[in-house]
Amino acid sequence: GKSSTERTILLMKLRLFFEGTAPHFLELKRRFFWVFACFLICFCISFYYAEFIFRWLTEPLMLALSKHHLPQEIVYTRLTEAFSVYTKMAFFVGLFLVVPIIEWHLWKFLSPGLTAKEKHLCLMLLWGAPLLFFSGAAFCRLYLLERLFDFFVQFSDYSHGKQILFPMVTMDDFLGLTFKMIFCSGVCLQLPLV
């Protein structure tokens, strides 16, 4: 009857749709695979150099601690904290490093279906947004973090010749605050694109 004819037509339309989009899904899957493989490589490299990266990130805190004549140390309070902090840091640094590869694959996937005007806008967003984000992140690490840590560490100054407050900075708290500040600074520099 009529319902079997409608069902047959619907199935034919669905088959045509999937036959038309299958090559795009396969290309997207291939590109996702390459991005994921690059991320794994960046993650492994970041994890290998995790101690070096962590020391580089802690330089502003160490400067603030030394300025206030405090011990330059960061502690961990759980047995697994150092490992989990290095893993989290390697994950975010790996993600940070793989952004240009993600953008290149995204551009190669989207560009064939865009008009010239859309390509221009897309290129501006694909390359402008990360450039501004990286600029904000660099500004935060190179300038803002030292002032931020100096502000927080000043609360441990001496009161009437006796120190009553001592900062005990843990790895997890330090990394959380540092990455939040770097991320927020990067996002703030996205405003010109809005």
Side-chain angles (χ1 to χ4, degrees):
K2 186 177 178 181
S3 64
S4 68
T5 307
E6 289 175 354
R7 189 177 311 133
T8 306
I9 291 171
L10 180 64
L11 288 173
M12 287 175 53
K13 286 181 178 179
L14 283 173
R15 186 167 24 132
L16 287 173
F17 171 76
F18 286 117
E19 286 175 359
T21 58
H24 299 295
F25 284 123
L26 289 174
E27 182 186 357
L28 189 61
K29 181 179 166 183
R30 183 179 57 83
R31 292 191 181 281
F32 179 76
F33 170 78
W34 281 110
V35 166
F36 186 71
C38 290
F39 167 74
L40 281 179
I41 292 168
C42 290
F43 172 81
C44 291
I45 291 169
S46 299
F47 190 79
Y48 182 78
Y49 290 104
E51 187 176 341
F52 172 78
I53 296 168
F54 189 77
R55 287 184 186 278
W56 181 75
L57 286 173
T58 60
E59 284 176 2
L61 175 63
M62 295 303 144
L63 286 171
L65 289 170
S66 68
K67 179 180 175 184
H68 294 275
H69 309 292
L70 293 166
Q72 298 176 32
E73 59 187 28
I74 297 178
V75 299
Y76 61 94
T77 57
R78 296 181 320 274
L79 188 58
T80 59
E81 185 174 355
F83 175 77
S84 67
V85 164
Y86 283 175
T87 304
K88 275 192 263 186
M89 185 179 59
F91 175 82
F92 287 114
V93 171
L95 200 58
F96 191 77
L97 293 174
V98 85
V99 165
I101 296 165
I102 292 171
E103 290 181 346
W104 184 79
H105 281 284
L106 191 61
W107 172 251
K108 290 305 234 179
F109 181 74
L110 293 176
S111 65
L114 300 174
T115 64
K117 188 176 181 180
E118 292 168 336
K119 283 182 181 181
H120 177 71
L121 179 65
C122 195
L123 270 176
M124 196 168 65
L125 287 174
L126 278 177
W127 297 108
L131 185 64
L132 289 171
F133 183 86
F134 292 152
S135 299
F139 170 75
C140 181
R141 165 53 187 87
L142 299 173
Y143 180 78
L144 193 60
L145 283 178
E146 186 176 339
R147 278 121 191 104
L148 176 78
F149 293 136
D150 187 52
F151 171 76
F152 286 128
V153 168
Q154 77 180 348
F155 290 104
S156 66
D157 276 344
Y158 290 88
S159 174
H160 305 291
K162 183 178 180 187
Q163 189 166 11
I164 55 173
L165 298 173
F166 294 92
M168 190 170 89
V169 183
T170 64
M171 291 179 78
D172 203 28
D173 289 342
F174 166 77
L175 190 71
L177 178 63
T178 300
F179 277 164
K180 283 176 194 167
M181 290 303 299
I182 287 173
F183 179 76
C184 289
S185 298
V187 168
C188 284
L189 257 71
Q190 301 299 303
L191 290 176
L193 294 176
V194 178

